[in-house]
Amino acid sequence: MDIAMKWGQALGGPEQLKIALAALEPQLKREHALRRKQLDIQAKRVEQEAREARETRQHKFRMASLIVGATLGIAMLSGGIYVAVESKAWWLASLLCGPSLISMTVIIILRKHDNEAMKAVTDAAKRTLGAATQANVP
């Protein structure tokens, strides 16, 4: 308000101030519209950078899960084959190469955890252990 009064006095009265402000208003509107566009562009850029960073993190996480799951799967499979060939413990080999291998890869690689699948794996492991104990009894 003080600035407006000083401008009014400098220009010689309120009529001249009104004319000066009327002439200044289109410029202020253009600057305001330009600033809004700049802020919108900046917000979109920040949003895009955040999305790209999130996608990069997700990709790294999925690749790490794939590598860990594949390595663990191959280790379990080769361990099961080794146990089956060397020590003739087929029940241990079936535990290493059977449902536990499948469920582990599904959980680690695909990131799916299904209660029904976990029950099926548990039942299969119980059946395998039950068959092993029956086969070992002389």
Side-chain angles (χ1 to χ4, degrees):
M1 195 62 146
D2 291 334
I3 295 173
M5 291 176 64
K6 288 179 184 178
W7 271 85
Q9 290 174 357
L11 294 176
E15 295 82 23
Q16 286 82 7
L17 177 62
K18 188 174 183 179
I19 294 170
L21 290 177
L24 187 61
E25 187 175 355
Q27 177 64 26
L28 292 174
K29 284 183 180 181
R30 284 192 298 271
E31 289 176 1
H32 177 69
L34 177 65
R35 181 67 181 148
R36 285 189 61 179
K37 285 184 181 184
Q38 288 174 343
L39 289 174
D40 288 342
I41 291 170
Q42 183 180 9
K44 288 178 184 177
R45 186 179 324 123
V46 167
E47 181 181 326
Q48 182 180 7
E49 289 172 357
R51 185 175 52 251
E52 288 173 358
R54 183 176 54 247
E55 288 173 358
T56 302
R57 282 191 313 267
Q58 288 175 349
H59 177 72
K60 287 179 182 179
F61 179 70
R62 286 190 304 258
M63 287 295 109
S65 296
L66 180 65
I67 291 169
V68 168
T71 304
L72 199 54
I74 290 171
M76 285 179 70
L77 190 61
S78 60
I81 292 171
Y82 176 77
V83 167
V85 171
E86 292 297 321
S87 66
K88 306 291 188 217
W90 62 270
W91 59 273
L92 182 58
S94 66
L95 282 177
L96 288 171
C97 297
S100 59
L101 174 66
I102 294 169
S103 65
M104 183 269 318
T105 54
V106 166
I107 290 171
I108 292 178
I109 295 175
L110 299 179
R111 295 281 168 209
K112 292 185 179 178
H113 179 0
D114 189 13
N115 288 333
E116 293 176 12
M118 296 308 291
K119 287 179 185 178
V121 168
T122 305
D123 292 340
K126 286 179 183 177
R127 284 193 308 268
T128 304
L129 286 176
T133 56
Q134 290 175 358
N136 286 341
V137 174

